[in-house]
Amino acid sequence: MDNFRYYAPTEVIFGKNAEEKTGETAAKYGKRALLVYGKGSVVKSGLLDKVKGSLKDAGIEYKDFGGAKPNPTLAHAEDGIKEALEFGSDLIIGIGGGSAIDTAKAIAHGAANPDKNLWEMWTRKVPFKSSLPTGAVLTIAAAGSEMSDSAVLTNEEIGKKAGINTDLNRCRFAIMDPEYGSTLPKEQIAAGVADIMMHTMERYFIPGVRCDVTDEIAEGLLRAVIKNGAAAVKDPTDTEAMSEIFWASSLSHNNLTECGRGKDFSVHKLGHALSAKYDVTHGASLSAVWGSWAGALYKDAPGRFERFAKKVWSVTEEGEAAALSGINKTVEFFRSIGMPVSLSELGIKASDEDYRALSLDATMQDTVKLSRIRPLDAKEVEKIYRMAE
Ligand code: NZQ
Ligand code: ZN
């Protein structure tokens, strides 16, 4: 087992009517909250009003800042920083999924550092050491932003989607009432399920380290997500299934499943390049390339892929046959819940030039090698994209 630091400080309030506790929880961190949300699902479901009622009861002033779009943008976050500064916010609350919560995190960093350029901070050209406290009220099991140390923005001007990892991204609290997941479109639930699985798998396929406890947690989490994810896609009003995937979304990305092994996130790098260029749903950008990523790498980590197949999919074959079965079953699962498993199913028809541009973006102009299984340069990454055609 490798040395590790595990830090997951977010206070989680989970279950039916959890949103009624937003005010008393938020009151520990601030008095003037900017409420950051997306394109209106939280208005329609009545969640925003419930959150406002709870904040009012706790004596917290608030201001709305809606409009975050899936694959949220830098420009929108910059508008939010102005709103937060004008309002004198001392707390930023994201209400929705990863897009609203990541926008809230970006606004918090920008509002605490008004003299700095947000993209320069985001890309670590300019260091920053402070942020405003953030909280999350979650409506979709997917990104895991509610407990993660990460946030992702798209800079539309330069066509780049980039994430930043810092403890300053940790929400102080996360409110989760899985019943709000019942209004989700099925394709969003499925994309979320793919993302949750990927957050676990991106930490699992790293060879050469023994971590029995972490492995068992990851495998159990994956089995639970596969079973309950399929049930939630079939019936979004199945609150039991929705509860399981809500909790899994947080645990799969709060670093629990990397303790002693670390993380890879090369599939996410492939996916972010696709989302930056084609604005595709995050979970779909991952399921579309995972099969070809696994196909390119399983021979370099045969033990990991074999164990995955046996423990997650109860495959009875041995060796390479087991590894291949596990990959096929995963791809079949994505397909069964309606997720794209190729670029064409994602609606992308890439030219030679597009493949080249995608692989250069994913490898930061061929300066960074992807994957801890085997270092992949831009040429190899291009092959994986092409295999996913
Ligand atoms: O905008 P609204 O109207 O709220 O609609 C959203 C949006 O259209 C809708 N939705 C969410 N909850 C709903 C609902 N519709 C009906 N009922 C509900 N209960 O679903 C759509 C997707 O929302 P979004 O927030 O984009 O989803 P998700 O949570 O998948 O977040 C995706 C973003 O998070 C980033 C992704 O790259 C992407 O930008 N990620 C963030 C991470 C992090 N901060 O740790 C890690 C992830 O790997 C990921 O990269
Ligand atoms: Zn993800």
Side-chain angles (χ1 to χ4, degrees):
M1 204 188 282
D2 288 342
N3 292 359
F4 65 89
R5 167 180 180 259
Y6 179 55
Y7 177 67
T10 306
E11 177 181 359
V12 175
I13 312 285
F14 191 99
K16 195 173 172 60
N17 301 328
E19 68 283 2
E20 290 171 6
K21 302 232 165 64
T22 311
E24 63 183 77
T25 312
K28 297 176 208 169
Y29 306 106
K31 289 191 167 60
R32 292 177 73 77
L34 190 74
L35 307 184
V36 180
Y37 51 92
K39 295 285 191 186
S41 73
V42 299
V43 178
K44 221 165 151 191
S45 68
L47 176 61
L48 184 64
D49 280 345
K50 287 223 171 154
V51 167
K52 286 179 176 176
S54 173
L55 293 173
K56 199 166 170 216
D57 290 347
I60 297 175
E61 307 275 335
Y62 52 78
K63 184 179 185 187
D64 283 37
F65 183 65
K69 73 172 202 64
N71 299 321
T73 65
L74 171 72
H76 184 65
E78 285 173 335
D79 288 345
I81 293 169
K82 283 185 208 134
E83 296 280 336
L85 290 172
E86 255 173 52
F87 184 60
S89 298
D90 56 6
L91 169 65
I92 316 290
I93 304 180
I95 309 170
S99 298
I101 301 167
D102 287 2
T103 303
K105 291 177 180 182
I107 294 171
H109 303 333
N113 298 276
D115 302 331
K116 295 182 178 168
N117 174 289
L118 180 60
W119 190 248
E120 288 185 348
M121 286 159 65
W122 206 258
T123 50
R124 297 208 175 272
K125 288 197 184 89
V126 169
F128 65 105
K129 291 201 173 111
S130 59
S131 186
L132 297 182
T134 52
V137 182
L138 192 69
T139 63
I140 173 172
S145 181
E146 65 279 3
M147 286 187 87
S148 79
D149 69 348
S150 138
V152 190
L153 282 183
T154 300
N155 180 338
E156 289 184 314
E157 259 178 37
I158 59 167
K160 177 80 193 161
K161 182 171 178 178
I164 176 170
N165 292 77
T166 161
D167 279 341
L168 296 172
N169 275 332
R170 302 277 188 187
C171 289
R172 303 294 171 95
F173 62 88
I175 308 280
M176 302 186 218
D177 178 348
E179 282 190 13
Y180 282 97
S182 68
T183 55
L184 276 161
K186 289 189 177 194
E187 60 274 15
Q188 286 296 341
I189 302 175
V193 167
D195 195 19
I196 296 168
M197 289 174 67
M198 216 63 71
H199 292 160
T200 313
M201 296 194 296
E202 295 263 42
R203 295 167 159 105
Y204 186 88
F205 291 107
I206 296 172
V209 196
R210 181 179 157 191
C211 290
D212 288 347
V213 173
T214 299
D215 276 353
E216 296 281 348
I217 292 171
E219 289 150 1
L221 198 151
L222 284 166
R223 289 195 301 270
V225 171
I226 288 162
K227 177 174 143 199
N228 291 287
V233 169
K234 197 163 168 216
D235 177 9
T237 65
D238 181 343
T239 308
E240 290 296 331
M242 194 61 82
S243 300
E244 299 291 346
I245 61 170
F246 261 61
W247 187 218
S249 111
S250 304
L251 294 188
S252 69
H253 204 30
N254 79 347
N255 311 94
L256 176 65
T257 61
E258 73 186 47
C259 294
R261 186 180 300 285
K263 61 182 172 178
D264 179 320
F265 274 70
S266 50
V267 183
H268 270 69
K269 300 231 167 65
L270 302 181
H272 286 343
L274 288 167
S275 285
K277 194 166 170 59
Y278 302 102
D279 201 13
V280 288
T281 301
H282 173 62
S285 76
L286 306 175
S287 63
V289 295
W290 186 83
S292 59
W293 172 90
L297 289 170
Y298 76 94
K299 284 188 178 154
D300 297 288
R304 295 308 290 159
F305 280 89
E306 182 181 359
R307 178 176 167 136
F308 168 78
K310 289 180 173 170
K311 299 284 260 184
V312 176
W313 292 109
S314 305
V315 160
T316 52
E317 294 128 303
E318 297 292 329
E320 186 169 341
L324 282 171
S325 249
I327 295 170
N328 289 338
K329 281 181 187 289
T330 308
V331 170
E332 270 318 305
F333 174 72
F334 290 147
R335 194 174 274 136
S336 75
I337 58 170
M339 292 307 292
V341 295
S342 65
L343 294 185
S344 55
E345 286 181 25
L346 192 55
I348 293 173
K349 196 173 171 358
S351 65
D352 286 348
E353 200 184 316
D354 294 331
Y355 282 124
R356 184 87 190 122
L358 285 167
S359 44
L360 284 174
D361 184 9
T363 57
M364 299 183 82
Q365 309 308 314
D366 210 8
T367 60
V368 173
K369 299 226 176 1
L370 305 193
S371 180
R372 285 187 55 197
I373 297 180
R374 170 165 59 83
L376 304 170
D377 62 11
K379 262 209 172 107
E380 297 208 65
V381 166
E382 190 177 330
K383 267 191 223 155
I384 294 177
Y385 279 125
R386 284 179 183 278
M387 276 166 65
E389 184 177 6

